[in-house]
Amino acid sequence: MPIVQFTPFSSLVQPGFWHELTSLKIDVLRLSDEALPITGSYSVGRSINDRETGNEILLGCNLSVGPESFDNSAHPPSGAFVAKGHFKNYNTIEEFKAADKSVLFTQEAEKIWESIIAKRETSSLSNFLLITYADLKKYKYYYWFAFPAFAAKPAWEIDEPGWKLASDELTNESLSSIHAQLRATPLPFFLVRSGVEIAPVESYSTFFADVPPAEQTIGFVDPSASPASPGWPLRNLLAYLHALYPTTSSSVRVLCWRDAEVPAAGAPWKSRFGVVHAAPPAADAQTKPSAVGWEKNPQGKLAPRVADLAPMMDPTRLADQAVDLNLKLMRWRILPALDLEKISSTRCLLLGAGTLGCYVARTLMGWGVRDITLVDSGRVSFSNPVRQPLFEFEDCLEGGKPKAQCAAARMKKIFPGINATGHTLAIPMPGHPVPPALVDQAREEVKRLEALIDAHDAVFLLMDSRESRWLPTVISAAKGKIVLNAALGFDTFLVMRHGVRASKVREGASQLGCYYCNDIVAPADSLTDRTLDEMCTVTRPGLASLAASTAVELLASVLQHPDGVHAGAPPPNSDPSQLIGAGVLGLVPHQLRGFLAQFRNLHIVGAAYGRCTGCSESVLAAYETQGFDMILQALNDDKYLPHLTGLDKLYEEGQKALEEVDWDVDEGGEDDF
């Protein structure tokens, strides 16, 4: 009699499985290589007809894994059956190659055998093993499946005429009854009594009691479509019977169930039937036999397979995942508590698209920020591209492109996944009166600025002049936004965060100042009557990138601190190692003043000033109650803000104090020389 040939399982990996593995590796496993439970699924063997030739084409004996395979609570597709397995991912290709695969395979086979002998269960008969290495930079996945199956000694043989149509052995009524029962109670392995009743294989002793051998049939859902060889699950089913029922399983009637649907009238049933024989094992029936089952690669060799997803993936999605990858790697060893989503979801408004604005935008992109809006009123000039990395020579031609829109477009070219927009907008400034004919235009500009600040979480003040920062400072303070300020000197810079308004300061905390809190004069016109060197931002070339990067890192530190915008500032010149209450990224200073000539930074804490023209409650209350009318008055009247905040009284008190000083002048003495 011919020896039974079994069709081995062939792995079918859905692309979604690799995407899910990528997320699992980056966000959960990280550097762990522990084995995890996994599930796959298989269904009855299928075939299709070639439309041109009409020939039947057999589909593979597939075990499929997909994105749901890592979710042990997921249900298999309709008509499919679950196969349980174990998954182990290695951190390097060297570890993957050097893994002791025989040990891993033996361990999996022992689990299957233990479930047979100790638990007398069939639920583990289709267990599998998957080992992988994921090259997440190149999107290449090396993997190797093993489907452990026990080898029978002596081998199983099949009676003539071999595997035949099930309808040649069982009646159409019997097959229809079996189909109905399997649809009502899906069983991957089952018993058939007298051709009509089915039961789980675990009921073998009681179900077949007093049943003649000719009416006992062992059935299984067969993933093979080959007419001459049943699928891989039959090997372990026969091993199960031989181990637990050696005296009654020397001859087994086998039904290979392959009918997902009842065939149409006149069409044959696809299921197969055969009678197999094997002599009882020479050794103890419960001694674990040897096992086979490593999957061969497409070249027919016992070697891993490779899935290269890079050519299949949308380049934009590749870029999106690559940006996140470099950031998420920080959480593997260095900063496990880093909340990257909190940073990437922060909507950032950059007021100023010049040297500072370009560098801030690039650094925000490096942190994975997806929503960035730039505002500027200028156009790209020939002096810009060498200092401002979002512009090129072509952007300067024909009068120059609008800076904000040009910078946003360049950011999308750098990273298509970013939501970058640009707005050309002139921000109204104190000391720059608005003529009556332009009041409506100014009103519209203020309205646009308010809408932009409303729509963002963090505002960067990156303009060239002091007075241009006033209006966004007031609006942002009133709306409770995070405000970062960066300003440049020739070889010095200032980076600071604005504190929250006085009415929002937490109990026991000190209010941090804004950009204007150190001044006792209101912002005024600093742009008129300037020489060429005063009209250009004259700084050491490396200064802007330092200040811009520092400003973005300060924002990241604020976002990662448990108190957020309320985070306290460390005392000036304090020892960081002695401080408590730092965030995930360390300290959250109030102000950083950089001195490039000395290559050092200085931490400064500036308290809020009750008469500040930018963030005092008197200014914010006037803005909230009067709106544009208050702003217009501040723009047109250089005495309005001092009067509103009480600075004018301070000036008067200072002048009066000077007048009351009794200067001691010696008018009659002679010089000592």
Side-chain angles (χ1 to χ4, degrees):
M1 290 185 292
I3 294 175
V4 177
Q5 302 295 322
F6 302 92
T7 302
F9 267 129
S10 177
S11 62
L12 180 62
V13 185
Q14 307 294 338
F17 177 85
W18 301 122
H19 294 302
E20 191 65 26
L21 171 57
T22 299
S23 300
L24 183 72
K25 170 66 176 173
I26 294 173
D27 298 326
V28 180
L29 293 178
R30 300 176 186 175
L31 294 171
S32 172
D33 60 359
E34 65 174 315
L36 300 177
I38 193 176
T39 60
S41 64
Y42 65 92
S43 57
V44 297
R46 300 177 185 274
S47 61
I48 58 174
N49 291 323
D50 189 309
R51 291 182 178 180
E52 295 182 359
T53 64
N55 296 333
E56 184 181 32
I57 300 175
L58 305 181
L59 301 182
C61 180
N62 294 326
L63 187 144
S64 175
V65 292
E68 72 285 348
S69 294
F70 296 105
D71 181 3
N72 291 325
S73 63
H75 298 289
S78 177
F81 294 85
V82 171
K84 299 179 180 178
H86 290 91
F87 160 80
K88 187 177 179 65
N89 183 73
Y90 291 90
N91 288 308
T92 67
I93 188 64
E94 289 76 17
E95 290 179 0
F96 176 80
K97 292 178 178 178
D100 193 334
K101 298 170 183 63
S102 62
V103 170
L104 294 171
F105 185 86
T106 300
Q107 291 173 346
E108 198 63 38
E110 287 175 347
K111 293 174 185 175
I112 299 174
W113 192 251
E114 181 184 359
S115 74
I116 294 174
I117 302 303
K119 301 178 181 178
R120 306 176 77 87
E121 295 177 348
T122 59
S123 59
S124 298
L125 295 186
S126 297
N127 276 18
F128 65 96
L129 170 69
L130 170 60
I131 60 174
T132 64
Y133 163 66
D135 184 347
L136 300 186
K137 283 191 171 292
K138 298 180 180 178
Y139 293 92
K140 280 189 175 182
Y141 301 86
Y142 300 81
Y143 66 101
W144 203 349
F145 277 87
F147 307 102
F150 299 108
K153 293 182 179 180
W156 291 92
E157 298 176 338
I158 184 166
D159 288 357
E160 296 292 348
W163 298 102
K164 59 184 180 180
L165 291 174
S167 55
D168 292 344
E169 181 70 23
L170 301 171
T171 66
N172 187 67
E173 290 73 16
S174 294
L175 294 172
S176 296
S177 175
I178 293 171
H179 180 276
Q181 293 177 73
L182 287 177
R183 180 175 286 273
T185 307
L187 295 171
F189 305 99
F190 55 93
L191 308 174
V192 182
R193 182 172 62 189
S194 303
V196 291
E197 297 179 81
I198 71 169
V201 173
E202 287 82 354
S203 305
Y204 184 91
S205 298
T206 57
F207 189 72
F208 282 159
D210 303 324
V211 177
E215 296 183 13
Q216 300 178 11
T217 303
I218 306 295
F220 75 104
V221 173
D222 188 359
S224 170
S226 170
S229 56
W232 207 241
L234 180 58
R235 295 192 71 145
N236 284 345
L237 177 59
L238 294 175
Y240 175 96
L241 297 173
H242 234 165
L244 299 181
Y245 312 103
T247 58
T248 59
S249 60
S250 295
S251 177
V252 181
R253 291 161 48 89
V254 178
L255 173 62
C256 306
W257 189 257
R258 300 179 179 179
D259 289 282
E261 303 292 340
V262 174
W269 291 84
K270 297 178 181 178
S271 298
R272 313 292 288 185
F273 180 88
V275 180
V276 297
H277 295 270
D284 180 4
Q286 296 195 353
T287 300
K288 182 176 75 70
S290 60
V292 296
W294 281 109
E295 183 182 26
K296 294 181 179 180
N297 67 12
Q299 290 74 41
K301 298 180 180 179
L302 282 174
R305 299 183 175 212
V306 181
D308 185 359
L309 263 61
M312 301 169 52
M313 294 181 68
D314 175 21
T316 301
R317 184 171 181 179
L318 280 173
D320 192 63
Q321 293 187 357
V323 168
D324 290 339
L325 174 62
N326 285 334
L327 292 168
K328 290 181 178 180
L329 293 179
M330 292 192 290
R331 297 197 296 205
W332 286 18
R333 297 180 191 268
I334 305 169
L335 296 170
L338 183 64
D339 187 352
L340 290 171
E341 290 71 26
K342 195 167 188 178
I343 298 177
S344 63
S345 63
T346 300
R347 299 163 299 174
C348 294
L349 175 63
L350 279 54
L351 300 181
T355 308
L356 283 171
C358 288
Y359 281 114
V360 166
R362 290 302 302 261
T363 312
L364 286 172
M365 291 171 69
W367 265 111
V369 175
R370 295 295 197 269
D371 292 284
I372 301 175
T373 301
L374 299 104
V375 174
D376 203 293
S377 61
R379 292 180 173 271
V380 183
S381 66
F382 287 102
S383 64
N384 293 157
V386 295
R387 297 181 298 112
Q388 301 172 8
L390 293 179
F391 305 128
E392 295 180 352
F393 174 77
E394 288 75 10
D395 301 327
C396 312
L397 304 178
E398 299 177 358
K401 296 179 181 178
K403 272 192 168 183
Q405 289 90 332
C406 183
R410 189 61 38 76
M411 291 167 67
K412 290 181 179 179
K413 285 188 176 181
I414 295 169
F415 175 41
I418 197 167
N419 177 26
T421 56
H423 297 265
T424 298
L425 175 65
I427 297 176
M429 299 178 284
H432 298 258
V434 180
L438 298 180
V439 169
D440 289 342
Q441 178 181 327
R443 190 191 307 273
E444 184 62 28
E445 289 169 343
V446 170
K447 185 178 179 180
R448 288 179 61 195
L449 181 61
E450 289 173 327
L452 286 169
I453 293 176
D454 253 332
H456 293 79
D457 306 303
V459 180
F460 285 83
L461 306 184
L462 310 169
M463 299 85 106
D464 289 336
S465 66
R466 177 174 175 269
E467 62 265 33
S468 61
R469 301 166 191 255
W470 176 79
L471 183 55
T473 295
V474 173
I475 298 173
S476 299
K479 296 180 181 296
K481 304 297 182 179
I482 301 173
V483 179
L484 285 304
N485 224 311
L488 304 177
F490 167 66
D491 58 4
T492 61
F493 67 80
L494 166 68
V495 170
M496 67 179 296
R497 59 184 172 108
H498 289 189
V500 297
R501 63 186 299 179
S503 60
K504 300 294 184 181
V505 175
R506 292 178 176 176
E507 185 177 354
S510 300
Q511 183 188 5
L512 299 177
C514 76
Y515 182 71
Y516 295 98
C517 280
N518 289 338
D519 295 331
I520 60 170
V521 293
D525 183 5
S526 65
L527 303 179
T528 304
D529 194 25
R530 296 187 300 172
T531 60
L532 180 61
D533 62 318
E534 292 171 327
M535 286 188 284
C536 299
T537 304
V538 180
T539 67
R540 290 178 60 169
L543 195 68
S545 58
L546 293 173
S549 300
T550 302
V552 174
E553 294 298 329
L554 182 55
L555 171 65
S557 296
V558 169
L559 294 173
Q560 295 300 305
H561 196 282
D563 294 331
V565 72
H566 295 278
N573 302 321
S574 53
D575 182 0
S577 63
Q578 303 300 316
L579 297 174
I580 59 174
V584 173
L585 292 175
L587 303 179
V588 188
H590 177 219
Q591 300 181 34
L592 282 163
R593 294 184 181 263
F595 301 89
L596 196 54
Q598 303 168 25
F599 286 94
R600 70 184 181 97
N601 292 336
L602 185 65
H603 285 205
I604 295 177
V605 179
Y609 182 39
R611 297 179 177 180
C612 174
T613 57
C615 69
S616 64
E617 283 298 321
S618 58
V619 172
L620 299 182
Y623 164 70
E624 290 170 332
T625 56
Q626 302 172 35
F628 179 73
D629 292 339
M630 174 268 185
I631 294 172
L632 185 62
Q633 196 167 353
L635 303 181
N636 290 338
D637 184 357
D638 59 3
K639 295 181 180 180
Y640 173 72
L641 289 176
H643 176 72
L644 179 63
T645 58
L647 283 178
D648 55 351
K649 294 182 179 179
L650 181 67
Y651 303 156
E652 293 173 3
E653 292 169 0
Q655 185 62 36
K656 184 177 180 181
L658 286 174
E659 293 174 353
E660 292 177 353
V661 173
D662 185 14
W663 301 101
D664 185 12
V665 180
D666 186 2
E667 298 179 352
E670 296 182 359
D671 292 339
D672 293 333
F673 300 100

